[in-house]
Amino acid sequence: MKENIKLPSTEPLINYFNQVIPLNEKECQLIHKLFRARLYRRKQYVLQENDVCNQFNFVIKGCLRMYKIDEKGNTHILQFASENWWINDIGSFHHRKPSEMNIDALEDTVVLYINYEDLIHLYTTAPKFDRIFRILIENSFVTLQNRLLQNISSTAEERYTSFNKIYPHLIHRLPQVQIASFLGITPKFLSRLRNRIIKPKS
């Protein structure tokens, strides 16, 4: 069961927005009004395949993953989202169609989220947020595009090096099997890769 909780403030989210485009007092009040806090326990779903994605999630604490399970039962992780990261199935959210993705919690995770109707209201009430979320979606598209290019043109070692740069704070927080799934390799191969990278050169 999802747990609604009370947070002392939406300050982390407001600070994030201010780094994109500074907000005025009225816009900050809209954030307080329209965003809600929710706690997901480890292994709880934020989104399940075939459900419509109804919320845009900003992670305050913890870590979420978005993934697809193929016909053979293999898990393919598209994204991790830890503190100050956003996560949702953009296609399902904006087109109001069933998702092909799953999002769940790898740790006990607190998010600030806004639902579809409230986000549309936010756009019309304060057009600045239309620009802010367009920037967020554009950045997400660039990240996924780079990820696709890596998958088709980079070695496993290059992908692991890139992972270290993008998610340095998660290297020791995530199980090896999760990182391996994200990189498209087996946990055993990841272990050999790590050992080769950290092994002192003679």
PDB file of all heavy atoms in Angstrom, residues 32-56:
ATOM      1  N   HIS A  32       3.623  24.350  -3.184  1.00  0.00           N
ATOM      2  CA  HIS A  32       3.138  23.863  -1.884  1.00  0.00           C
ATOM      3  C   HIS A  32       1.737  23.270  -2.020  1.00  0.00           C
ATOM      4  O   HIS A  32       1.404  22.267  -1.378  1.00  0.00           O
ATOM      5  CB  HIS A  32       3.104  25.007  -0.866  1.00  0.00           C
ATOM      6  CG  HIS A  32       4.449  25.495  -0.452  1.00  0.00           C
ATOM      7  ND1 HIS A  32       5.412  24.676   0.099  1.00  0.00           N
ATOM      8  CD2 HIS A  32       5.004  26.735  -0.491  1.00  0.00           C
ATOM      9  CE1 HIS A  32       6.494  25.388   0.366  1.00  0.00           C
ATOM     10  NE2 HIS A  32       6.275  26.633   0.019  1.00  0.00           N
ATOM     11  N   LYS A  33       0.927  23.875  -2.864  1.00  0.00           N
ATOM     12  CA  LYS A  33      -0.474  23.472  -2.987  1.00  0.00           C
ATOM     13  C   LYS A  33      -0.662  22.214  -3.823  1.00  0.00           C
ATOM     14  O   LYS A  33      -1.494  21.344  -3.483  1.00  0.00           O
ATOM     15  CB  LYS A  33      -1.282  24.627  -3.599  1.00  0.00           C
ATOM     16  CG  LYS A  33      -2.758  24.313  -3.817  1.00  0.00           C
ATOM     17  CD  LYS A  33      -3.467  25.496  -4.454  1.00  0.00           C
ATOM     18  CE  LYS A  33      -4.935  25.181  -4.724  1.00  0.00           C
ATOM     19  NZ  LYS A  33      -5.624  26.320  -5.393  1.00  0.00           N
ATOM     20  N   LEU A  34       0.080  22.087  -4.920  1.00  0.00           N
ATOM     21  CA  LEU A  34      -0.218  21.058  -5.918  1.00  0.00           C
ATOM     22  C   LEU A  34       0.637  19.794  -5.809  1.00  0.00           C
ATOM     23  O   LEU A  34       0.242  18.741  -6.324  1.00  0.00           O
ATOM     24  CB  LEU A  34      -0.089  21.639  -7.326  1.00  0.00           C
ATOM     25  CG  LEU A  34      -1.069  22.777  -7.652  1.00  0.00           C
ATOM     26  CD1 LEU A  34      -0.802  23.317  -9.056  1.00  0.00           C
ATOM     27  CD2 LEU A  34      -2.510  22.291  -7.531  1.00  0.00           C
ATOM     28  N   PHE A  35       1.798  19.891  -5.184  1.00  0.00           N
ATOM     29  CA  PHE A  35       2.630  18.700  -5.016  1.00  0.00           C
ATOM     30  C   PHE A  35       2.324  18.026  -3.689  1.00  0.00           C
ATOM     31  O   PHE A  35       2.100  18.686  -2.679  1.00  0.00           O
ATOM     32  CB  PHE A  35       4.122  19.056  -5.085  1.00  0.00           C
ATOM     33  CG  PHE A  35       4.653  19.178  -6.489  1.00  0.00           C
ATOM     34  CD1 PHE A  35       4.477  20.351  -7.205  1.00  0.00           C
ATOM     35  CD2 PHE A  35       5.326  18.121  -7.092  1.00  0.00           C
ATOM     36  CE1 PHE A  35       4.959  20.479  -8.505  1.00  0.00           C
ATOM     37  CE2 PHE A  35       5.821  18.236  -8.386  1.00  0.00           C
ATOM     38  CZ  PHE A  35       5.627  19.416  -9.091  1.00  0.00           C
ATOM     39  N   ARG A  36       2.326  16.705  -3.711  1.00  0.00           N
ATOM     40  CA  ARG A  36       2.058  15.908  -2.514  1.00  0.00           C
ATOM     41  C   ARG A  36       3.246  14.990  -2.238  1.00  0.00           C
ATOM     42  O   ARG A  36       3.995  14.646  -3.147  1.00  0.00           O
ATOM     43  CB  ARG A  36       0.794  15.061  -2.703  1.00  0.00           C
ATOM     44  CG  ARG A  36      -0.462  15.880  -2.938  1.00  0.00           C
ATOM     45  CD  ARG A  36      -1.651  14.976  -3.234  1.00  0.00           C
ATOM     46  NE  ARG A  36      -2.871  15.736  -3.448  1.00  0.00           N
ATOM     47  CZ  ARG A  36      -3.256  16.232  -4.606  1.00  0.00           C
ATOM     48  NH1 ARG A  36      -2.493  16.057  -5.679  1.00  0.00           N
ATOM     49  NH2 ARG A  36      -4.388  16.906  -4.717  1.00  0.00           N
ATOM     50  N   ALA A  37       3.382  14.608  -0.987  1.00  0.00           N
ATOM     51  CA  ALA A  37       4.463  13.698  -0.587  1.00  0.00           C
ATOM     52  C   ALA A  37       3.925  12.285  -0.458  1.00  0.00           C
ATOM     53  O   ALA A  37       2.782  12.071  -0.057  1.00  0.00           O
ATOM     54  CB  ALA A  37       5.056  14.154   0.740  1.00  0.00           C
ATOM     55  N   ARG A  38       4.761  11.330  -0.805  1.00  0.00           N
ATOM     56  CA  ARG A  38       4.367   9.931  -0.674  1.00  0.00           C
ATOM     57  C   ARG A  38       5.587   9.079  -0.347  1.00  0.00           C
ATOM     58  O   ARG A  38       6.680   9.322  -0.870  1.00  0.00           O
ATOM     59  CB  ARG A  38       3.712   9.436  -1.963  1.00  0.00           C
ATOM     60  CG  ARG A  38       3.239   7.989  -1.916  1.00  0.00           C
ATOM     61  CD  ARG A  38       2.297   7.688  -3.063  1.00  0.00           C
ATOM     62  NE  ARG A  38       0.982   8.250  -2.820  1.00  0.00           N
ATOM     63  CZ  ARG A  38      -0.003   8.231  -3.718  1.00  0.00           C
ATOM     64  NH1 ARG A  38       0.183   7.689  -4.906  1.00  0.00           N
ATOM     65  NH2 ARG A  38      -1.179   8.768  -3.424  1.00  0.00           N
ATOM     66  N   LEU A  39       5.379   8.115   0.522  1.00  0.00           N
ATOM     67  CA  LEU A  39       6.422   7.173   0.879  1.00  0.00           C
ATOM     68  C   LEU A  39       6.141   5.831   0.211  1.00  0.00           C
ATOM     69  O   LEU A  39       5.032   5.301   0.316  1.00  0.00           O
ATOM     70  CB  LEU A  39       6.469   6.981   2.402  1.00  0.00           C
ATOM     71  CG  LEU A  39       7.324   5.823   2.917  1.00  0.00           C
ATOM     72  CD1 LEU A  39       8.804   6.051   2.610  1.00  0.00           C
ATOM     73  CD2 LEU A  39       7.107   5.633   4.422  1.00  0.00           C
ATOM     74  N   TYR A  40       7.151   5.308  -0.467  1.00  0.00           N
ATOM     75  CA  TYR A  40       7.083   3.957  -1.027  1.00  0.00           C
ATOM     76  C   TYR A  40       8.089   3.082  -0.294  1.00  0.00           C
ATOM     77  O   TYR A  40       9.277   3.421  -0.224  1.00  0.00           O
ATOM     78  CB  TYR A  40       7.411   3.961  -2.525  1.00  0.00           C
ATOM     79  CG  TYR A  40       6.375   4.650  -3.368  1.00  0.00           C
ATOM     80  CD1 TYR A  40       6.506   5.992  -3.695  1.00  0.00           C
ATOM     81  CD2 TYR A  40       5.263   3.970  -3.833  1.00  0.00           C
ATOM     82  CE1 TYR A  40       5.553   6.640  -4.468  1.00  0.00           C
ATOM     83  CE2 TYR A  40       4.309   4.599  -4.608  1.00  0.00           C
ATOM     84  CZ  TYR A  40       4.461   5.935  -4.926  1.00  0.00           C
ATOM     85  OH  TYR A  40       3.514   6.573  -5.690  1.00  0.00           O
ATOM     86  N   ARG A  41       7.607   1.998   0.259  1.00  0.00           N
ATOM     87  CA  ARG A  41       8.505   1.057   0.907  1.00  0.00           C
ATOM     88  C   ARG A  41       9.293   0.272  -0.147  1.00  0.00           C
ATOM     89  O   ARG A  41       8.874   0.162  -1.296  1.00  0.00           O
ATOM     90  CB  ARG A  41       7.709   0.082   1.777  1.00  0.00           C
ATOM     91  CG  ARG A  41       6.995   0.751   2.950  1.00  0.00           C
ATOM     92  CD  ARG A  41       7.961   1.355   3.927  1.00  0.00           C
ATOM     93  NE  ARG A  41       7.263   1.919   5.095  1.00  0.00           N
ATOM     94  CZ  ARG A  41       7.878   2.575   6.061  1.00  0.00           C
ATOM     95  NH1 ARG A  41       9.191   2.760   6.005  1.00  0.00           N
ATOM     96  NH2 ARG A  41       7.188   3.037   7.092  1.00  0.00           N
ATOM     97  N   ARG A  42      10.428  -0.256   0.255  1.00  0.00           N
ATOM     98  CA  ARG A  42      11.262  -1.033  -0.656  1.00  0.00           C
ATOM     99  C   ARG A  42      10.433  -2.129  -1.321  1.00  0.00           C
ATOM    100  O   ARG A  42       9.648  -2.815  -0.675  1.00  0.00           O
ATOM    101  CB  ARG A  42      12.440  -1.638   0.115  1.00  0.00           C
ATOM    102  CG  ARG A  42      13.405  -2.448  -0.741  1.00  0.00           C
ATOM    103  CD  ARG A  42      14.606  -2.881   0.084  1.00  0.00           C
ATOM    104  NE  ARG A  42      15.482  -3.749  -0.678  1.00  0.00           N
ATOM    105  CZ  ARG A  42      15.386  -5.080  -0.701  1.00  0.00           C
ATOM    106  NH1 ARG A  42      14.454  -5.689   0.025  1.00  0.00           N
ATOM    107  NH2 ARG A  42      16.216  -5.797  -1.416  1.00  0.00           N
ATOM    108  N   LYS A  43      10.554  -2.248  -2.631  1.00  0.00           N
ATOM    109  CA  LYS A  43       9.875  -3.214  -3.496  1.00  0.00           C
ATOM    110  C   LYS A  43       8.433  -2.818  -3.840  1.00  0.00           C
ATOM    111  O   LYS A  43       7.780  -3.531  -4.607  1.00  0.00           O
ATOM    112  CB  LYS A  43       9.896  -4.628  -2.902  1.00  0.00           C
ATOM    113  CG  LYS A  43      11.292  -5.228  -2.778  1.00  0.00           C
ATOM    114  CD  LYS A  43      11.230  -6.670  -2.325  1.00  0.00           C
ATOM    115  CE  LYS A  43      12.625  -7.270  -2.261  1.00  0.00           C
ATOM    116  NZ  LYS A  43      12.583  -8.708  -1.846  1.00  0.00           N
ATOM    117  N   GLN A  44       7.933  -1.705  -3.309  1.00  0.00           N
ATOM    118  CA  GLN A  44       6.597  -1.267  -3.689  1.00  0.00           C
ATOM    119  C   GLN A  44       6.610  -0.644  -5.074  1.00  0.00           C
ATOM    120  O   GLN A  44       7.587  -0.014  -5.480  1.00  0.00           O
ATOM    121  CB  GLN A  44       6.046  -0.245  -2.697  1.00  0.00           C
ATOM    122  CG  GLN A  44       5.454  -0.855  -1.441  1.00  0.00           C
ATOM    123  CD  GLN A  44       4.719   0.171  -0.607  1.00  0.00           C
ATOM    124  OE1 GLN A  44       5.213   1.275  -0.411  1.00  0.00           O
ATOM    125  NE2 GLN A  44       3.548  -0.176  -0.136  1.00  0.00           N
ATOM    126  N   TYR A  45       5.505  -0.824  -5.780  1.00  0.00           N
ATOM    127  CA  TYR A  45       5.372  -0.254  -7.112  1.00  0.00           C
ATOM    128  C   TYR A  45       4.908   1.196  -7.042  1.00  0.00           C
ATOM    129  O   TYR A  45       3.998   1.537  -6.287  1.00  0.00           O
ATOM    130  CB  TYR A  45       4.357  -1.045  -7.942  1.00  0.00           C
ATOM    131  CG  TYR A  45       4.875  -2.353  -8.486  1.00  0.00           C
ATOM    132  CD1 TYR A  45       4.542  -3.557  -7.873  1.00  0.00           C
ATOM    133  CD2 TYR A  45       5.699  -2.385  -9.608  1.00  0.00           C
ATOM    134  CE1 TYR A  45       5.010  -4.766  -8.370  1.00  0.00           C
ATOM    135  CE2 TYR A  45       6.176  -3.576 -10.114  1.00  0.00           C
ATOM    136  CZ  TYR A  45       5.833  -4.764  -9.490  1.00  0.00           C
ATOM    137  OH  TYR A  45       6.306  -5.956  -9.984  1.00  0.00           O
ATOM    138  N   VAL A  46       5.528   2.019  -7.878  1.00  0.00           N
ATOM    139  CA  VAL A  46       5.036   3.362  -8.169  1.00  0.00           C
ATOM    140  C   VAL A  46       4.139   3.296  -9.401  1.00  0.00           C
ATOM    141  O   VAL A  46       3.134   3.994  -9.504  1.00  0.00           O
ATOM    142  CB  VAL A  46       6.214   4.334  -8.411  1.00  0.00           C
ATOM    143  CG1 VAL A  46       5.720   5.742  -8.726  1.00  0.00           C
ATOM    144  CG2 VAL A  46       7.155   4.346  -7.209  1.00  0.00           C
ATOM    145  N   LEU A  47       4.517   2.434 -10.337  1.00  0.00           N
ATOM    146  CA  LEU A  47       3.769   2.224 -11.580  1.00  0.00           C
ATOM    147  C   LEU A  47       3.933   0.770 -11.982  1.00  0.00           C
ATOM    148  O   LEU A  47       5.029   0.209 -11.887  1.00  0.00           O
ATOM    149  CB  LEU A  47       4.314   3.129 -12.686  1.00  0.00           C
ATOM    150  CG  LEU A  47       3.769   2.920 -14.102  1.00  0.00           C
ATOM    151  CD1 LEU A  47       2.299   3.360 -14.182  1.00  0.00           C
ATOM    152  CD2 LEU A  47       4.609   3.673 -15.132  1.00  0.00           C
ATOM    153  N   GLN A  48       2.841   0.147 -12.438  1.00  0.00           N
ATOM    154  CA  GLN A  48       2.912  -1.210 -12.955  1.00  0.00           C
ATOM    155  C   GLN A  48       2.507  -1.234 -14.430  1.00  0.00           C
ATOM    156  O   GLN A  48       1.672  -0.444 -14.879  1.00  0.00           O
ATOM    157  CB  GLN A  48       1.997  -2.140 -12.160  1.00  0.00           C
ATOM    158  CG  GLN A  48       2.537  -2.488 -10.790  1.00  0.00           C
ATOM    159  CD  GLN A  48       1.697  -3.526 -10.082  1.00  0.00           C
ATOM    160  OE1 GLN A  48       0.717  -3.183  -9.428  1.00  0.00           O
ATOM    161  NE2 GLN A  48       2.073  -4.784 -10.192  1.00  0.00           N
ATOM    162  N   GLU A  49       3.113  -2.143 -15.157  1.00  0.00           N
ATOM    163  CA  GLU A  49       2.806  -2.320 -16.573  1.00  0.00           C
ATOM    164  C   GLU A  49       1.299  -2.470 -16.776  1.00  0.00           C
ATOM    165  O   GLU A  49       0.613  -3.130 -16.002  1.00  0.00           O
ATOM    166  CB  GLU A  49       3.533  -3.563 -17.098  1.00  0.00           C
ATOM    167  CG  GLU A  49       3.401  -3.800 -18.580  1.00  0.00           C
ATOM    168  CD  GLU A  49       4.197  -4.989 -19.054  1.00  0.00           C
ATOM    169  OE1 GLU A  49       4.918  -5.598 -18.228  1.00  0.00           O
ATOM    170  OE2 GLU A  49       4.106  -5.315 -20.251  1.00  0.00           O
ATOM    171  N   ASN A  50       0.812  -1.808 -17.814  1.00  0.00           N
ATOM    172  CA  ASN A  50      -0.608  -1.788 -18.217  1.00  0.00           C
ATOM    173  C   ASN A  50      -1.450  -0.770 -17.442  1.00  0.00           C
ATOM    174  O   ASN A  50      -2.625  -0.584 -17.769  1.00  0.00           O
ATOM    175  CB  ASN A  50      -1.255  -3.178 -18.130  1.00  0.00           C
ATOM    176  CG  ASN A  50      -0.651  -4.152 -19.118  1.00  0.00           C
ATOM    177  OD1 ASN A  50      -0.344  -3.785 -20.250  1.00  0.00           O
ATOM    178  ND2 ASN A  50      -0.463  -5.393 -18.686  1.00  0.00           N
ATOM    179  N   ASP A  51      -0.867  -0.125 -16.440  1.00  0.00           N
ATOM    180  CA  ASP A  51      -1.545   0.999 -15.787  1.00  0.00           C
ATOM    181  C   ASP A  51      -1.146   2.287 -16.476  1.00  0.00           C
ATOM    182  O   ASP A  51      -0.064   2.386 -17.071  1.00  0.00           O
ATOM    183  CB  ASP A  51      -1.169   1.088 -14.307  1.00  0.00           C
ATOM    184  CG  ASP A  51      -1.751  -0.055 -13.483  1.00  0.00           C
ATOM    185  OD1 ASP A  51      -2.707  -0.695 -13.970  1.00  0.00           O
ATOM    186  OD2 ASP A  51      -1.252  -0.288 -12.377  1.00  0.00           O
ATOM    187  N   VAL A  52      -1.988   3.300 -16.404  1.00  0.00           N
ATOM    188  CA  VAL A  52      -1.648   4.619 -16.931  1.00  0.00           C
ATOM    189  C   VAL A  52      -0.809   5.356 -15.896  1.00  0.00           C
ATOM    190  O   VAL A  52      -1.147   5.373 -14.704  1.00  0.00           O
ATOM    191  CB  VAL A  52      -2.913   5.435 -17.270  1.00  0.00           C
ATOM    192  CG1 VAL A  52      -2.541   6.855 -17.692  1.00  0.00           C
ATOM    193  CG2 VAL A  52      -3.710   4.747 -18.365  1.00  0.00           C
ATOM    194  N   CYS A  53       0.301   5.935 -16.338  1.00  0.00           N
ATOM    195  CA  CYS A  53       1.161   6.707 -15.435  1.00  0.00           C
ATOM    196  C   CYS A  53       0.464   8.024 -15.100  1.00  0.00           C
ATOM    197  O   CYS A  53       0.236   8.846 -15.989  1.00  0.00           O
ATOM    198  CB  CYS A  53       2.510   6.965 -16.093  1.00  0.00           C
ATOM    199  SG  CYS A  53       3.682   7.854 -15.049  1.00  0.00           S
ATOM    200  N   ASN A  54       0.121   8.220 -13.845  1.00  0.00           N
ATOM    201  CA  ASN A  54      -0.668   9.377 -13.445  1.00  0.00           C
ATOM    202  C   ASN A  54       0.104  10.423 -12.671  1.00  0.00           C
ATOM    203  O   ASN A  54      -0.480  11.434 -12.256  1.00  0.00           O
ATOM    204  CB  ASN A  54      -1.866   8.924 -12.595  1.00  0.00           C
ATOM    205  CG  ASN A  54      -2.947   8.281 -13.440  1.00  0.00           C
ATOM    206  OD1 ASN A  54      -3.307   8.786 -14.494  1.00  0.00           O
ATOM    207  ND2 ASN A  54      -3.453   7.137 -12.987  1.00  0.00           N
ATOM    208  N   GLN A  55       1.398  10.203 -12.451  1.00  0.00           N
ATOM    209  CA  GLN A  55       2.118  11.197 -11.658  1.00  0.00           C
ATOM    210  C   GLN A  55       3.550  11.391 -12.122  1.00  0.00           C
ATOM    211  O   GLN A  55       4.204  10.482 -12.612  1.00  0.00           O
ATOM    212  CB  GLN A  55       2.077  10.827 -10.175  1.00  0.00           C
ATOM    213  CG  GLN A  55       2.618   9.461  -9.833  1.00  0.00           C
ATOM    214  CD  GLN A  55       2.317   9.063  -8.401  1.00  0.00           C
ATOM    215  OE1 GLN A  55       1.153   8.934  -8.003  1.00  0.00           O
ATOM    216  NE2 GLN A  55       3.366   8.881  -7.608  1.00  0.00           N
ATOM    217  N   PHE A  56       4.004  12.633 -11.959  1.00  0.00           N
ATOM    218  CA  PHE A  56       5.381  13.038 -12.202  1.00  0.00           C
ATOM    219  C   PHE A  56       6.067  13.028 -10.841  1.00  0.00           C
ATOM    220  O   PHE A  56       5.632  13.719  -9.927  1.00  0.00           O
ATOM    221  CB  PHE A  56       5.407  14.450 -12.799  1.00  0.00           C
ATOM    222  CG  PHE A  56       6.264  14.589 -14.019  1.00  0.00           C
ATOM    223  CD1 PHE A  56       5.708  14.799 -15.265  1.00  0.00           C
ATOM    224  CD2 PHE A  56       7.646  14.528 -13.909  1.00  0.00           C
ATOM    225  CE1 PHE A  56       6.501  14.945 -16.395  1.00  0.00           C
ATOM    226  CE2 PHE A  56       8.448  14.684 -15.020  1.00  0.00           C
ATOM    227  CZ  PHE A  56       7.883  14.886 -16.278  1.00  0.00           C
TER     228      PHE A  56
END
